[in-house]
Amino acid sequence: AQKVTQAQTEISVVEKEDVTLDCVYETRDTTYYLFWYKQPPSGELVFLIRRNSFDEQNEISGRYSWNFQKSTSSFNFTITASQVVDSAVYFCALSEEVDSNYQLIWGVGTKLIIKP
Amino acid sequence: NAGVTQTPKFRILKIGQSMTLQCTQDMNHNYMYWYRQDPGMGLKLIYYSVGAGITDKGEVPNGYNVSRSTTEDFPLRLELAAPSQTSVYFCASSSPRQGWETQYFGPGTRLLVL
């Protein structure tokens, strides 16, 4: 069965430290998508990135970077020089095809606390 | 362009009461979804719709109903509220034209059943 594991339930670092959030997935599909979403304390869910299974290039967006490795079924997220505003719960998700429709399978989230 | 809107933001229900959670999107997205998020957990899919007039069950549909009479609206109905339905409910939408897989979320409705 499709599955997303975020083993780190909570991470706490001091501002300006780098931090990596881990995401490991399981899927039978050859074509799939992986996602990261951010949920700040205000509660909304903010889309950060989508990566398809054929594109293993790392992506960088400002202080955020993502490392996708099919060999280890991982899609890790790194924040460089963390800031207090990065404090949030971060969710990793995997697309799943169900009866020709598509759904997302979600990890339980990693709560990231950035201390000033 | 408001995106996905949800009402109400917060509601307290008594056991056995009914209510409808409203969800509207103005992005002309075909796909719409309802999730619930329990404390410390990820999102679980309740129902989804791939277009007006078409709905289907997700992972946890029991105790809920949906309808999709228009592209824009996707209300979620709780008929007999139970304490187990205390949760935060998120509505989302996506479009094949923009990559169906990327779902855009509303701000959520926090529901407490006492």
Side-chain angles (χ1 to χ4, degrees):
Chain A
Q2 325 282 67
K3 186 179 177 182
V4 174
T5 301
Q6 293 181 258
Q8 305 151 309
T9 53
E10 185 173 306
I11 300 175
S12 180
V13 301
V14 176
E15 198 173 21
K16 297 183 184 176
E17 287 186 12
D18 299 347
V19 58
T20 295
L21 310 182
D22 298 332
C23 174
V24 175
Y25 63 93
E26 296 175 28
T27 181
R28 297 181 300 268
D29 297 342
T30 54
T31 301
Y32 53 90
Y33 292 83
L34 293 159
F35 302 80
W36 277 95
Y37 281 82
K38 174 182 179 179
Q39 187 175 42
S42 51
E44 72 272 23
L45 281 155
V46 179
F47 166 75
L48 295 178
I49 189 171
R50 178 187 81 167
R51 172 66 70 212
N52 78 52
S53 53
F54 296 109
D55 183 1
E56 286 194 72
Q57 280 194 343
N58 291 337
E59 174 132 356
I60 298 174
S61 176
R63 295 183 297 105
Y64 295 173
S65 62
W66 291 269
N67 182 281
F68 176 31
Q69 293 195 342
K70 288 179 75 171
S71 60
T72 55
S73 297
S74 65
F75 186 44
N76 296 338
F77 173 31
T78 297
I79 301 175
T80 302
S82 60
Q83 300 176 2
V84 172
V85 293
D86 296 326
S87 296
V89 179
Y90 291 87
F91 291 96
C92 181
L94 165 72
S95 64
E96 175 187 47
E97 182 177 353
V98 178
D99 297 331
S100 300
N101 292 313
Y102 295 91
Q103 301 175 17
L104 291 183
I105 305 299
W106 295 77
V108 298
T110 296
K111 183 176 183 179
L112 178 62
I113 301 169
I114 310 296
K115 299 177 182 176
Chain B
N1 194 339
V4 180
T5 57
Q6 292 182 239
T7 57
K9 290 185 179 179
F10 176 66
R11 182 78 182 268
I12 299 175
L13 280 183
K14 294 182 180 179
I15 294 172
Q17 285 186 322
S18 301
M19 79 164 292
T20 298
L21 282 67
Q22 301 292 345
C23 175
T24 300
Q25 53 91 10
D26 63 0
M27 297 176 283
N28 201 30
H29 284 176
N30 306 81
Y31 297 174
M32 295 187 75
Y33 312 82
W34 274 107
Y35 291 93
R36 59 178 286 171
Q37 182 184 26
D38 298 326
M41 303 295 289
L43 279 71
K44 293 193 180 295
L45 183 65
I46 305 172
Y47 271 95
Y48 66 99
S49 169
V50 300
I54 306 170
T55 62
D56 215 336
K57 295 178 181 179
E59 184 181 358
V60 290
N62 291 343
Y64 306 95
N65 279 301
V66 294
S67 60
R68 184 96 182 269
S69 57
T70 66
T71 299
E72 295 78 19
D73 301 306
F74 190 40
L76 177 72
R77 179 84 178 160
L78 282 71
E79 291 294 347
L80 291 170
S84 61
Q85 293 178 306
T86 293
S87 191
V88 180
Y89 292 84
F90 288 99
C91 179
S93 71
S94 66
S95 169
R97 292 185 304 279
Q98 299 168 357
W100 65 265
E101 312 87 359
T102 304
Q103 297 180 15
Y104 296 92
F105 285 80
T109 293
R110 188 174 298 272
L111 177 66
L112 180 60
V113 182
L114 300 174

